[in-house]
Amino acid sequence: MTSLTAQSRPMTQGRALIRIHRLEYPFPAVYACHVLWGACFAATDPRQLFTVPVLVTLLANLLAVVSQNPLNAALDIRADTHTRGKDSIATATRRLSPAVAFRCAAIEKTLALTLATAVSVGLGRPAVAIGVGLAIVLHLLYNLEPVRLKRRGFANPAYFALTFAFLPCVSTYSALRPDVPAPVWLVFAGLAVLLFGRSLWWSIPDLAGDAAAGDRPPAVRHGAYRSLLVACAATAGALVLTGWGLWWLYGPVWSLLGVAACAAFLIDKLGLLPGISDDNLPDERTMRKRSLSMVLAADLLLVVIPLVAG
């Protein structure tokens, strides 16, 4: 009875804003980890993270990451309506109106690019603004026709690899140091491939909704089982790259610790392979509360390792 009452309550504007920005647990903490990674691998002292240029760069990248969500919510109402667990995003978008969601995305992207450009000019390091600017361009290409990377197979998870990991890493790293050594590039590449695998896994429950909306991401093109298999293979490759970079930077103990934390997600997904099919899809809410808690633990450890081991 309580559950039915809660579901029947009208969604407030505040709750709707949180939902279209995907700010439910554990997303805010995950986003923060993604923008902190680059700065943490650049810092030689944790106090460097609290300088004005670094804080502004972190905020710019966080705004850029979050701004993708209302844009996507405004354009994916049909798909979200047909996806179990994501129908509340469509409800929230209708509650606010797609125009408000577009406006939120535009304001956040503009502010993100303005802040990043200010830091780039002040430090004389273009990579800070280039990382944010490229991410914003990719947000538009992912969501808008005629390109709409969302419906173009593996370009879908590749987009998330770039905009939620690689480009924020490069941008925030550049706020502290102008040079990126080879082992750090390996770690950044590993983190990007890690996001590729996670994003591919995360898109599988959207199969029916994406198909109804006419999009053709990997789960629609290749089915849930093959998509999860590719996600697991990508995650395994990510562990190799990330572990190699961490070993090169900090030695075997820290490398094995980081890899072990990230491997928990892979082991969990391998356990899903025998039962997953196009007719037996995981639920978004369950994935968010269970699997993303493991993701958050690994992401937090990857924030801490360079600060402690470096």
Side-chain angles (χ1 to χ4, degrees), residues 10-303:
M11 181 176 288
T12 65
Q13 286 192 332
R15 288 178 58 211
L17 280 170
I18 289 171
R19 190 65 178 122
I20 68 168
H21 283 89
R22 316 291 206 279
L23 293 178
E24 310 87 354
Y25 171 86
F27 288 123
V30 170
Y31 299 152
C33 289
H34 291 182
V35 302
L36 277 166
W37 282 337
C40 290
F41 277 96
T44 55
D45 185 323
R47 288 174 293 186
Q48 292 176 323
L49 299 178
F50 298 97
T51 60
V52 172
V54 175
L55 289 173
V56 173
T57 303
L58 292 172
L59 177 58
N61 279 273
L62 190 59
L63 281 168
V65 166
V66 172
S67 72
Q68 131 71 22
N69 294 329
L71 175 62
N72 182 255
L75 292 165
D76 275 14
I77 292 178
R78 182 180 175 188
D80 290 340
T81 299
H82 291 89
T83 301
R84 185 177 58 177
K86 285 192 173 181
D87 52 329
S88 60
I89 299 176
T91 301
T93 307
R94 292 191 182 98
R95 172 72 176 85
L96 295 166
S97 84
V100 169
F102 279 125
R103 198 174 303 129
C104 287
I107 292 170
E108 290 154 10
K109 291 179 190 303
T110 300
L111 183 55
L113 189 56
T114 300
L115 293 173
T117 301
V119 174
S120 277
V121 172
L123 297 178
R125 296 176 191 165
V128 174
I130 289 172
V132 172
L134 284 177
I136 290 172
V137 170
L138 286 169
H139 294 167
L140 300 176
L141 294 177
Y142 176 80
N143 287 286
L144 300 177
E145 298 290 358
V147 178
R148 194 160 167 85
L149 295 174
K150 177 173 180 177
R151 59 179 168 81
R152 297 186 181 275
F154 290 107
N156 183 319
Y159 154 80
F160 286 99
L162 289 171
T163 59
F164 279 63
F166 188 78
L167 290 173
C169 282
V170 172
S171 178
T172 59
Y173 186 99
S174 300
L176 280 95
R177 294 178 57 179
D179 61 311
V180 185
V184 175
W185 281 122
L186 270 176
V187 173
F188 289 174
L191 294 174
V193 178
L194 195 66
L195 261 291
F196 179 97
R198 289 178 185 172
S199 301
L200 183 51
W201 156 77
W202 184 252
S203 70
I204 290 173
D206 299 353
L207 191 156
D210 286 338
D215 289 327
R216 300 277 294 168
V220 176
R221 289 172 181 255
H222 307 291
Y225 179 84
R226 289 184 180 179
S227 295
L228 182 58
L229 197 61
V230 174
C232 291
T235 304
L239 297 182
V240 173
L241 291 171
T242 306
W244 184 7
L246 290 174
W247 193 308
W248 195 345
L249 286 165
Y250 310 120
V253 174
W254 292 110
S255 173
L256 292 173
L257 183 61
V259 168
C262 295
F265 172 84
L266 174 59
I267 293 169
D268 186 62
K269 296 316 129 208
L270 288 171
L272 294 178
L273 277 171
I276 198 168
S277 70
D278 292 4
D279 299 317
N280 184 30
L281 300 172
D283 180 74
E284 186 263 356
R285 290 190 185 92
T286 303
M287 290 165 62
R288 175 165 56 85
K289 292 178 180 179
R290 181 176 181 275
S291 298
L292 286 187
S293 293
M294 290 189 293
V295 165
L296 176 58
D299 287 354
L300 286 169
L301 184 60
L302 290 173
V303 167

